Amino acid sequence: MDMRSKARTLSGPVSDPAKLPRWNYDGSSTGQAAGEDSEVILYPQVIFRDPFRRGNHHLLVMCDAYTPAGDPIPTNKRHAAANIFGQIEAEEPLFGIEQEYTLLWKDSNRPLGWPLGGYPGPQGPYYCGIGADKAFGREIVDAHYNACLYAGVNISGINAEVMPGQWEFQIGPSPGISAADELWVARYILERITEMAGVVLSLDPKPIPGDWNGASAHTNFSTKAMREEEGGYELIKKAIHKLQLRHADHIAAYGEGNERRLTGGHETAEINTFSWGVADRGASIRVGRKTEKEGRGYFEDRRPSSNMDPYVVTSMIAHTTLLWEQP
Ligand code: ADP
Ligand code: MN
Ligand code: MN
Ligand code: MN
């Protein structure tokens, strides 16, 4: 969750990430390399327009990180994900990710809208709410929405969430690795905007213990056959069965602190129990009514937490459902 960036000037305009030079940073200052051999190499992978500097030539560049010998460093989860997606291009996988997050006052670490030393009224009026007593931080949310559209991120919507001070944006549907690239860049843009507003972005899965909703990153998935072919729903059910068999492996990779969120309450399934259902928001996996009715569509994995790494989660869903065979 520790996103970092730096800036540099190049001598001419660039529109292709392959034409950008590699760069490096001091990995001993980020806990990613030893002081005596501190260089980590940045490989430019994807470019977006820079919504902060604007203009025609300013770019945001998503990079991943390698040792000088050319091996991905341990926190580089993009490299392995790109390898998995390279094997299944013909399936035309699409992902839609619903990123929930909480906005905190910098000094008190309490969510926006929460009175100092007290609690807001119970949950109910806040989800998709409007009004100064129900929606807290919309300037940030809408600035982020605009900035993502400007950047070229495939952001498909926003809404206020169940807990006051909590919001969601949706990425996608986007093909293969680009969903994860876009989610990371959207998170980056969001933290830059909260920085300007003097507000802190929290991706903690359960920022306030007790009778308050946690924060998730529901991950919606389909292949071309699932969404277009007759019998797509049968393929979805087969995929869900494979996900059930590998439930523990997925939970282990779906975000730190997720056990505080997946309690079985507050629209979640209990962490150790796999379940699925149509229109069931208390299940691990939910299939929409429309998908059931039309016999094709997509499904929603509700287990990933707000702080998950989308490279890990999207590639693992693709691997389990499309490449893995039951031993
Ligand atoms: P919810 O009812 O769970 O709150 P949202 O509307 O917030 O649903 O999010 C639905 C997500 O599903 C969006 O991110 C959207 O991009 C994604 N989605 C829609 N169609 C598909 C599809 N065919 N394959 C994968 N994802 C999809
Ligand atoms: Mn949603
Ligand atoms: Mn939500
Ligand atoms: Mn959802």
Side-chain angles (χ1 to χ4, degrees):
M1 298 328 298
D2 186 4
M3 290 181 277
R4 307 216 184 181
S5 68
K6 57 180 187 170
R8 74 186 305 192
T9 308
L10 298 173
S11 58
V14 180
S15 54
D16 175 2
K19 300 234 161 72
L20 286 166
R22 289 182 185 165
W23 202 15
N24 64 71
Y25 64 95
D26 169 15
S28 71
S29 295
T30 61
Q32 292 172 305
E36 40 325 328
D37 186 11
S38 66
E39 238 168 67
V40 178
I41 315 299
L42 289 168
Y43 290 21
Q45 297 291 2
V46 197
I47 57 181
F48 296 86
R49 294 176 73 199
D50 184 339
F52 302 103
R53 291 198 168 87
R54 296 193 285 266
N56 285 331
H57 301 313
H58 295 145
L59 305 175
L60 290 182
V61 183
M62 169 54 122
C63 301
D64 60 354
Y66 295 80
T67 66
D71 299 316
I73 65 166
T75 50
N76 176 353
K77 306 300 183 194
R78 190 182 190 278
H79 183 81
N83 181 24
I84 289 171
F85 284 118
Q87 297 171 51
I88 54 156
E89 263 167 44
E91 299 275 359
E92 299 185 30
L94 286 182
F95 293 93
I97 308 173
E98 305 165 51
Q99 174 72 62
E100 295 180 344
Y101 61 95
T102 310
L103 298 173
L104 306 177
W105 291 116
K106 190 164 57 139
D107 296 322
S108 65
N109 259 355
R110 300 268 287 170
L112 302 197
W114 288 51
L116 269 180
Y119 286 86
Q123 294 182 162
Y126 309 110
Y127 170 72
C128 296
I130 60 164
D133 55 343
K134 294 176 250 39
F136 310 103
R138 189 184 302 279
E139 303 84 348
I140 292 170
V141 173
D142 274 344
H144 172 252
Y145 195 174
N146 277 333
C148 284
L149 291 171
Y150 181 95
V153 168
N154 183 19
I155 187 168
S156 42
I158 59 101
N159 59 268
E161 268 305 332
V162 174
M163 187 184 94
Q166 201 165 77
W167 296 82
E168 169 179 312
F169 66 85
Q170 297 98 27
I171 295 295
S174 293
I177 196 143
S178 65
D181 285 330
E182 288 173 358
L183 181 59
W184 272 116
V185 169
R187 285 174 173 179
Y188 173 80
I189 291 172
L190 181 57
E191 194 164 11
R192 289 282 307 274
I193 287 173
T194 57
E195 171 193 324
M196 286 189 271
V199 163
V200 172
L201 170 65
S202 170
L203 295 184
D204 190 276
K206 190 82 173 186
I208 308 284
D211 201 11
W212 303 97
N213 274 35
S216 58
H218 297 164
T219 302
N220 300 269
F221 173 65
S222 64
T223 61
K224 186 176 164 65
M226 289 176 192
R227 55 182 182 266
E228 286 180 16
E229 276 170 29
E230 210 143 314
Y233 189 27
E234 291 311 309
L235 293 174
I236 288 173
K237 283 193 246 184
K238 280 195 186 125
I240 292 173
H241 180 63
K242 285 180 154 188
L243 288 167
Q244 173 162 20
L245 294 171
R246 296 203 61 212
H247 179 63
D249 297 322
H250 279 255
I251 287 291
Y254 274 13
E256 262 180 57
N258 211 5
E259 70 285 350
R260 289 182 280 122
R261 177 181 76 91
L262 293 177
T263 58
H266 301 105
E267 303 174 54
T268 71
E270 198 274 321
I271 189 161
N272 294 313
T273 317
F274 183 93
S275 59
W276 77 278
V278 176
D280 183 356
R281 285 174 199 273
S284 312
I285 305 251
R286 176 173 69 101
V287 173
R289 280 266 172 250
K290 187 160 175 267
T291 295
E292 181 194 43
K293 189 160 165 267
E294 292 176 358
R296 68 189 90 174
Y298 64 100
F299 66 87
E300 174 191 45
D301 190 339
R302 299 175 61 80
R303 298 170 294 172
S305 67
S306 48
N307 59 355
M308 60 79 153
D309 184 332
Y311 292 129
V312 173
V313 169
T314 59
S315 65
M316 196 169 186
I317 292 173
H319 178 266
T320 296
T321 61
L322 300 172
L323 294 172
W324 180 78
E325 292 296 341
Q326 185 176 2

